[in-house]
């Protein structure tokens, strides 16, 4: 995969070239105020059902709704309480009933304005209402901009007899358009920025993998990101815009090469799950805290992924695929993000492995993890040896 050149400032457009499901991801300032005309360009219907994250400042959503109205859209709105615990079938059902009341037809869009939870649920509603209606994603968190809004994964969590399973129910449903308005990041806490930065570090660790040859040093994006982490955490909008456009381009390349994560080899879209099998196993443990402060429990998704990246790096080392210096560089990067990199109160290895075995990436009862294998490269490893998984878990654990 060719690492995309760092784009220039002001309105970056990344095209996700998926044949008849192709769309643009537009990244720039004040894009929510252009929501109306940009949506009108990509959909036929003029009744919009807007699903809004209840955390958003009213001024942001007011601008977006005014723009839709002035482009001739009739609007109905619903809000979503943006927490993982609300990413449920019940929320989906409530929204489907609300959309049905508006009598939207198949050409009328659903528009999601918010973070990853809002986008995932709204995307699932769009995928299922009338067997699929257009959706426009307006991600307002860094994590949703660089990851959740791009690539068409939609869905909700499900409580099962063995616990809560993340994203167990869902559908692939590509958006008609993604508008990432960098201005919406101004209201984001450093903690939320950091959660998105974890997904950016992940992209840096895999960017040189995949089809084609790596261009230049394979860890260029990883190093670029690590060198700027402090400024990015402070919310430097120009840097954030550059970061988002570059990360969307990296993600888009993986999505285009393997839209439905069907590649059975050691690569493909599954590489985007680096850090996620370890991360998902610890994400739903309620008392874990990212920085030793009990008030900050539980972990946010991006924080769990950051710890998962450390685990994956050391699992790669235990496999003999990733050298120790590089694994240490991943730990240092996570610490630069303001995380501890080792967690207090992790359950036993057995309990974590058990949770990993319930991950939806398990196939045929076989665990699959992604490990970094070199500068900017990674691989899927099927049925990793137990000591490799334990080495990953141990890398997240505080030593006594
Ligand atoms: N977040 C991983 C993917 O979209 O495939």
């Amino acid at each position: 995969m060719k690492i995309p050149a760092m784009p220039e400032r002001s309105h970056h457009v990344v095209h996700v070239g998926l044949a008849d499901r192709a769309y643009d991801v537009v990244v720039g300032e004040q894009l929510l105020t252009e929501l109306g005309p940009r949506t009108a360009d990509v959909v036929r219907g003029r009744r919009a059902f807007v699903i809004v994250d209840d955390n958003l400042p009213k001024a942001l959503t007011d601008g977006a709704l005014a723009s839709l109205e002035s482009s001739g859209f009739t609007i109905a709105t619903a809000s979503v309480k943006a927490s993982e615990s609300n990413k449920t079938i019940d929320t989906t059902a409530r929204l489907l009933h609300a959309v049905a009341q508006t009598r939207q037809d198949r050409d009328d869009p659903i528009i999601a304005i918010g973070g990853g939870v809002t986008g995932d649920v709204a995307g699932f509603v769009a995928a299922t209402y009338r067997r699929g209606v257009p959706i426009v994603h307006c991600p307002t968190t860094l994590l949703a901009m660089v990851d959740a809004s791009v690539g068409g994964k939609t869905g909700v969590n499900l409580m099962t007899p063995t616990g809560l399973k993340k994203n167990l129910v869902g559908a692939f449903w590509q958006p008609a358009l993604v508008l990432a308005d960098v201005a919406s990041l101004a209201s984001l806490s450093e903690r939320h920025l950091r959660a998105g930065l974890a997904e950016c570090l992940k992209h840096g660790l895999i960017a040189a993998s995949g089809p084609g040859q790596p261009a230049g040093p394979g860890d260029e994006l990883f190093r670029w990101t690590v060198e700027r982490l402090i400024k990015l955490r402070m919310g430097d909008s120009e840097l954030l815009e550059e970061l988002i456009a570059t990360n969307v381009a990296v993600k888009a390349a993986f999505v285009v090469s393997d839209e439905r994560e069907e590649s059975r080899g050691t690569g493909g879209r599954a590489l985007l799950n680096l850090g996620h099998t370890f991360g998902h196993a610890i994400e739903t443990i309620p008392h874990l805290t990212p920085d030793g402060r009990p008030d900050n429990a539980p972990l946010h998704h991006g924080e769990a992924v950051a710890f998962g990246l450390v685990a994956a790096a050391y699992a790669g080392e235990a496999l003999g695929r990733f050298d120790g210096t590089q694994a240490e560089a991943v730990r240092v990067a996570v610490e630069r993000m303001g995380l501890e990199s080792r967690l207090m109160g992790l359950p036993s290895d057995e309990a974590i492995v058990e949770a990993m075995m319930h991950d939806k990436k398990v196939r045929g009862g076989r665990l699959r993890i992604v490990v970094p294998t070199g500068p900017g490269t990674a691989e899927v490893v099927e049925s990793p040896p137990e000591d490799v998984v334990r080495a990953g878990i141990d890398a997240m654990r505080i030593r006594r």
Side-chain angles (χ1 to χ4, degrees):
M1 177 177 303
K2 205 169 166 343
I3 299 177
M6 296 298 172
E8 286 174 15
R9 186 157 168 81
S10 93
H11 280 180
H12 306 289
V13 180
V14 180
H15 184 67
V16 184
L18 284 168
D20 61 340
R21 294 171 313 292
Y23 54 95
D24 285 341
V25 180
V26 189
V27 183
E29 291 275 353
Q30 306 300 341
L31 286 170
L32 280 172
T33 60
E34 300 173 19
L35 177 61
R38 288 183 181 272
T39 302
D41 279 350
V42 295
V43 303
R44 284 195 290 264
R46 289 294 178 267
R47 268 182 299 198
F49 189 84
V50 188
I51 301 178
V52 182
D53 191 320
D54 71 348
N55 282 329
L56 284 181
K58 195 169 171 310
L60 271 183
T61 41
D62 282 353
L65 297 179
S67 170
L68 284 167
E69 267 170 350
S70 54
S71 293
F73 284 93
T74 309
I75 302 169
T77 61
S79 72
V80 167
K81 190 170 169 322
S83 71
E84 276 292 324
S85 60
N86 201 38
K87 200 171 128 177
T88 58
I89 295 275
D90 285 352
T91 304
T92 311
R94 173 177 67 82
L95 292 169
L96 281 168
H97 283 293
V99 185
Q101 274 177 14
T102 68
R103 303 204 182 147
Q104 295 224 159
D105 70 30
R106 291 189 71 177
D107 291 333
D108 293 322
I110 287 180
I111 296 178
I113 308 179
V117 169
T118 306
D120 283 4
V121 180
F124 189 41
V125 170
T128 48
Y129 181 65
R130 292 182 184 271
R131 298 199 181 96
V133 297
I135 177 146
V136 173
H137 283 299
C138 303
T140 58
T141 63
L142 179 59
L143 189 140
M145 290 180 186
V146 297
D147 187 20
S149 64
V150 181
K153 281 191 179 174
T154 74
V156 295
N157 307 328
L158 195 72
M159 187 52 87
T160 73
T162 53
L164 182 73
K165 299 292 174 288
K166 279 184 57 77
N167 303 324
L168 193 66
V169 179
F172 284 98
W173 190 246
Q174 299 294 343
L177 173 70
V178 181
L179 290 186
D181 184 344
V182 180
S184 62
L185 298 180
S187 62
L188 215 59
S189 66
E190 185 184 336
R191 186 169 182 189
H192 278 96
L193 278 177
R194 166 169 104 180
L197 287 170
E199 296 287 357
C200 298
L201 286 182
K202 175 197 80 178
H203 286 151
L205 287 167
I206 64 175
S209 280
Q213 294 299 313
D219 60 356
E220 193 179 331
L221 178 59
F222 182 75
R223 279 190 290 120
W224 185 94
T225 311
V226 173
E227 280 162 14
R228 289 160 183 78
L229 272 176
I230 305 293
K231 275 187 158 180
L232 289 163
R233 278 171 58 192
M234 313 270 289
D236 181 316
S237 66
E238 202 166 320
L239 267 186
L240 281 167
E241 190 171 323
E242 199 172 341
L243 176 85
I244 295 159
T246 307
N247 277 269
V248 168
V250 169
K251 175 150 189 191
F254 279 97
V255 169
V256 168
S257 70
D258 179 21
E259 182 185 1
R260 289 176 167 251
E261 207 172 307
E262 287 165 333
S263 167
R264 288 291 180 272
T266 54
R269 182 169 182 167
L271 294 185
L272 290 168
N273 296 324
L274 178 67
H276 282 61
T277 307
F278 287 104
H280 280 164
I282 59 171
E283 187 177 342
T284 51
I285 301 173
H287 63 268
L288 293 182
T289 169
D291 50 10
R293 296 176 48 189
D295 293 357
N296 284 335
L299 301 175
H300 287 190
H301 172 69
E303 292 166 341
V305 168
F307 291 111
L309 292 177
V310 174
Y314 283 88
E317 187 197 16
L319 262 176
R321 306 297 309 276
F322 197 49
D323 89 37
T325 326
Q326 288 173 302
E328 187 57 25
V330 175
R331 185 186 291 288
V332 169
V334 166
E335 285 166 358
R336 268 195 145 193
M337 283 171 46
L339 297 171
E340 297 280 353
S341 100
R342 287 185 185 276
L343 284 149
M344 264 189 302
L346 272 186
S348 67
D349 288 4
E350 289 67 29
I352 296 176
V353 172
E354 171 69 12
M356 290 171 77
M357 288 306 292
H358 287 292
D359 194 88
K360 62 185 188 324
K361 291 175 282 300
V362 168
R363 289 213 181 121
R366 287 198 293 272
L367 182 62
R368 299 168 90 227
I369 59 172
V370 184
V371 295
T373 53
T377 61
E379 259 182 42
V380 177
V381 177
E382 197 156 294
S383 302
E386 195 183 310
D387 60 322
V388 164
V389 178
R390 283 183 191 269
I393 297 170
D394 192 49
M396 298 190 286
R397 197 184 284 291
I398 293 211
R399 297 211 176 97
R400 287 169 216 287

